[in-house]
Amino acid sequence: MILFGGLFATMVMLAQNRWVGDAIPIRSVDPIDATIEGVYWHRTSMSQYGLFLENNALVFVDADKPRLIGSHVRLERITRDNGFVFYRFAE
């Protein structure tokens, strides 16, 4: 019973941390070019794409729209006020 309570408390704290992260304002949105290296499927309905950026760094971006491996795409580098950086496909 104590173990279950501890796990539940941990899950709540992690969920709150994610909610707080989504509430942090966006500082900048910068366009960046990338090349799709591959696609990785997981249990959710979304696909995760591996992309090489202009500086040959590898990043992963979730998307539900199919994309062609090897194609060049435009991404947006999102920087939040707390310094957290993530990428998304430019629509």
Side-chain angles (χ1 to χ4, degrees):
M1 186 66 157
I2 294 173
L3 179 62
F4 176 73
L7 288 174
F8 181 75
T10 302
M11 289 172 47
V12 169
M13 288 181 352
L14 290 174
Q16 286 177 339
N17 193 19
R18 184 168 185 198
W19 296 329
V20 169
D22 288 344
I24 296 172
I26 292 174
R27 181 183 343 151
S28 66
V29 178
D30 303 310
I32 188 166
D33 292 323
T35 303
I36 297 179
E37 177 269 332
V39 61
Y40 307 94
W41 289 276
H42 42 86
R43 292 182 206 110
T44 65
S45 61
M46 296 183 91
S47 299
Q48 189 173 53
Y49 291 89
L51 298 117
F52 283 115
L53 304 179
E54 299 166 333
N55 62 359
N56 289 330
L58 179 65
V59 298
F60 294 94
V61 178
D62 292 336
D64 54 358
K65 182 178 169 185
R67 312 236 181 217
L68 186 61
I69 294 174
S71 63
H72 299 284
V73 294
R74 177 69 93 175
L75 296 179
E76 294 176 337
R77 179 179 25 229
I78 311 299
T79 305
R80 294 199 179 268
D81 277 345
N82 65 352
F84 181 74
V85 175
F86 66 96
Y87 297 88
R88 66 182 178 198
F89 286 103
E91 297 299 326

